[in-house]
Amino acid sequence: MAATTPRSLRTWGDEFALLWRRWWWVLAVVWGMTLLPAVPAVQIAFNWALVVVPALFLTWLVITSRRMPHADADKWKRDAARNIVATWPDVAMRLGLSARSMGGGVVVAGIGQPQWEGWTCAAPVGLPQGLGREHLQAHAGLLAQAFGAREATVHGVSIGQLILRLEYGDALAQPFSLGYGEAWDGRTVVMGRANGGSPWRLRLGPHTLVAGSSGSGKASLVWGLLLGLAQPIHSGLVEIWGIDRKGGMELAMGQPLLTRFAAEAERSVVLLEEAVNAMQARARHLAGRTRQHVAAAGSPTVVILIDELAALTAYETDRDLMRRANSAIATLASQGRAVGFIVFACLQDPRKETLPARGLFTQTVGLRLRDGIETAMVLGDGAVAAGAFCHQISPDTPGVAYVLPEDGTAPIRVRAGLITDDMIRDAAHRFPAPRHVPVVIPESPTAPERPARAPRQPRRTSRKEAS
């Protein structure tokens, strides 16, 4: 087995066995020299062998020792990867990950050399013709149990590029905080960490919908976005137009970061309609010059940040305001991306009745939800089968979510960084927006006064009517 075991997975026993199989004849030659007559040529060769052979052995020993894992965690990872490679054929056969060849034989799915990313083991899997990604995905839970992993997900599309990711630890179990005020790359915002512990960067460009039950951590994403954009907000490259339909309880603390802010229903609708007007004016200005807006001083990217979106689109008692709000959101979400007007909205109820324009949000984030049906509403019909378990997120881990990337790849498990009130106050003090524009409700036009009508004269009664 040692000869076929990848070098990174070999133990000392494998290395010594391989060394003996390849170089036993060197020791046999040296021993044979001791039986030859003690002539000068043989004696010189024997003396050189006594020097060269131990030197080569010591060199091999040092190189191999450096390559061997020394920490207990590294040794455990090596042994776990060895177990996956050794038991994979048997596990794959029992789960039905095999197909019949033209000659009548059985071709079993193969596995490549596992690679560790933190506590995530990623192994390439090759499926035989006749099987597809959905066959491997359907057995992800059983594969996790077979290899002692916490979770298993499948990444990739074609059968020749599938990666089985086995999660042995949870880098998102404990809350954490992120820094803010760093330079912006113009495309993404660091919001937290991904499943393997790497930074989670949310794309700023697609319209984003965040859905989650009460207490699931929507505030962490709202403030993660604001603090992640603190530097471009302060420099004027990004403007945040905020709507808080909880009476300002959420966004008012960081109001200096907002260029515009509305909490009441009518002001919120006015803000949305003025955003539509500004978007259309910019579109007319950019027409014939460019097809994609680039943030610059004097022409910033505008993010319309809406907390509790359903209060405008479904729960508003004024039917006219609700109709205007839905119309403005649909217009922004369908036309705003190319001209730099982006909608970032949060809600609790992801039903279509709550948000008619739900399909226009191409980047969705699912926090803790009530059931698999709501998960499918937010992330798509195949999200649960692809490994998005929003309905299984623990209430003790607020901010944990699954993100459906815009390119349609598998959902990614992430966690937003913890944001404290002191961090919000500090960011609002250090990085205020360069301008603040109040939302003014236009006065309703008054009807012109009509001239007073002369009093009507009583009609004279004829003789016939009198009789």
Side-chain angles (χ1 to χ4, degrees), residues 137 140 151-155 163-167 195 386-387 389 410-411:
Q137 183 63 61
E151 182 184 359
T153 55
V154 179
H155 295 255
I163 302 294
L164 178 67
R165 297 179 64 87
L166 299 167
E167 307 290 345
N195 210 20
F389 305 111

Side-chain angles (χ1 to χ4, degrees), residues 361-377:
F361 290 84
T362 55
Q363 183 171 246
T364 53
V365 180
L367 291 155
R368 177 170 51 83
L369 296 169
R370 291 178 297 181
D371 49 42
I373 297 176
E374 287 194 349
T375 301
M377 290 180 185

Side-chain angles (χ1 to χ4, degrees), residues 93-166:
M93 178 66 74
R94 293 182 179 183
L95 293 181
L97 297 175
S98 59
R100 288 282 182 182
S101 65
M102 294 295 293
V106 177
V107 181
V108 182
I111 191 168
Q113 181 176 346
Q115 300 291 334
W116 286 93
E117 304 170 6
W119 288 98
T120 302
C121 183
V125 176
L127 297 178
Q129 291 185 352
L131 298 183
R133 182 183 186 276
E134 60 275 10
H135 294 89
L136 185 62
Q137 183 63 61
H139 295 91
L142 295 176
L143 289 171
Q145 296 181 40
F147 300 125
R150 185 183 59 84
E151 182 184 359
T153 55
V154 179
H155 295 255
V157 179
S158 63
I159 61 174
Q161 299 177 344
L162 297 180
I163 302 294
L164 178 67
R165 297 179 64 87
L166 299 167

Side-chain angles (χ1 to χ4, degrees), residues 21-99:
R21 284 201 299 271
R22 289 182 175 178
W23 301 101
W24 62 267
W25 56 271
V26 175
L27 297 179
V29 170
V30 174
W31 177 77
M33 288 182 178
T34 62
L35 303 180
L36 295 175
V39 298
V42 174
Q43 188 64 37
I44 293 173
F46 180 72
N47 293 337
W48 273 105
L50 291 179
V51 175
V52 173
V53 172
L56 292 176
F57 178 76
L58 289 176
T59 302
W60 170 86
L61 198 64
V62 170
I63 295 174
T64 305
S65 178
R66 289 182 177 179
R67 182 174 49 77
M68 286 291 174
H70 299 284
D72 292 339
D74 294 335
K75 293 178 181 178
W76 183 90
K77 291 178 181 179
R78 179 199 60 191
D79 294 340
R82 284 172 58 89
N83 176 67
I84 293 171
V85 174
T87 60
W88 172 262
D90 197 27
V91 172
M93 178 66 74
R94 293 182 179 183
L95 293 181
L97 297 175
S98 59

Side-chain angles (χ1 to χ4, degrees), residues 2 10-23 57 60-61 64 68:
R10 294 177 191 169
T11 62
W12 278 109
D14 296 331
E15 293 290 355
F16 277 111
L18 184 60
L19 180 68
W20 173 253
R21 284 201 299 271
R22 289 182 175 178
W23 301 101
F57 178 76
W60 170 86
L61 198 64
T64 305
M68 286 291 174

Side-chain angles (χ1 to χ4, degrees), residues 311-460:
L312 285 173
T313 60
Y315 307 147
E316 176 56 50
T317 56
D318 188 321
R319 294 295 179 182
D320 182 61
L321 288 179
M322 185 171 66
R323 177 191 58 79
R324 290 164 58 189
N326 277 304
S327 176
I329 290 170
T331 304
L332 288 168
S334 61
Q335 303 175 20
R337 177 175 181 175
V339 293
F341 279 74
I342 302 163
V343 182
F344 187 99
C346 302
L347 50 70
Q348 296 185 34
D349 186 353
R351 291 178 301 169
K352 191 75 172 179
E353 295 81 1
T354 305
L355 179 60
R358 189 182 69 190
L360 298 176
F361 290 84
T362 55
Q363 183 171 246
T364 53
V365 180
L367 291 155
R368 177 170 51 83
L369 296 169
R370 291 178 297 181
D371 49 42
I373 297 176
E374 287 194 349
T375 301
M377 290 180 185
V378 176
L379 300 178
D381 293 336
V384 177
F389 305 111
C390 298
H391 50 291
Q392 297 180 8
I393 297 175
S394 171
D396 298 328
T397 56
V400 172
Y402 287 88
V403 180
L404 184 64
E406 191 185 24
D407 57 5
T409 55
I412 304 171
R413 184 171 177 265
V414 299
R415 186 170 190 176
L418 177 65
I419 307 295
T420 64
D421 291 352
D422 291 337
M423 295 171 65
I424 297 172
R425 294 189 185 97
D426 179 66
H429 175 71
R430 292 172 53 196
F431 304 99
R435 71 186 190 112
H436 299 90
V437 182
V439 179
V440 179
I441 299 176
E443 295 182 2
S444 57
T446 57
E449 294 185 1
R450 295 182 178 181
R453 299 179 63 180
R456 186 175 181 181
Q457 297 295 329
R459 186 169 62 89
R460 297 180 63 180

